[in-house]
Amino acid sequence: MLAFGPLNPILGAVKAERTPPRLRARVYATISMAALAGMPLGTALAGAVSARWGLMPAIAVFTAAAAAMSLCPLLFPAWRTLDRPPVAWTGPRRQ
C-alpha cells in the first residue's frame, strides 16, 4: 500500500482546487462518509473471504481489487481532465 501514499496529497489538492468554496464542507463530508462507511463492509468481506477460502487467497483477492482500483485513471475519462486548470468559480448563474 506504499504506492497509494502519494495519492492522498494529490487528491486533497484536487478536491480543494475543484470544489467551489461554498460547497467544500458538503463535498468533504460526503467523501469522508463514503470512506468511513466502507471500512466495516470491507472488514466483514475480508473476514468472510478468508474464512471461506483461507488467508492467502483472501490476500490475493484484495490485492487484485487494489490493483484494479489503481487502473481507474486509465478507464474513466474524468481523471484525464485533472491536468487542465479548473474553471474559475464565479458563483451561481442568474437568469
Side-chain angles (χ1 to χ4, degrees):
M1 288 300 151
L2 198 58
F4 287 114
L7 288 179
N8 288 332
I10 293 169
L11 292 175
V14 170
K15 280 192 310 189
E17 182 180 70
R18 304 280 173 147
T19 306
R22 67 182 188 87
L23 295 177
R24 282 191 185 144
R26 292 179 192 169
V27 170
Y28 290 10
T30 303
I31 292 169
S32 295
M33 181 270 316
L36 291 172
M39 281 189 226
L41 297 174
T43 303
L45 183 61
V49 170
S50 64
R52 174 89 172 154
W53 293 332
L55 181 62
M56 293 311 288
I59 290 173
V61 165
F62 286 100
T63 301
M69 287 187 292
S70 69
L71 296 176
C72 284
L74 299 175
L75 301 175
F76 297 107
W79 285 84
R80 295 185 199 109
T81 64
L82 294 179
D83 288 339
R84 295 186 205 141
V87 177
W89 173 253
T90 57
R93 294 182 185 206
R94 299 178 194 252
Q95 295 182 356

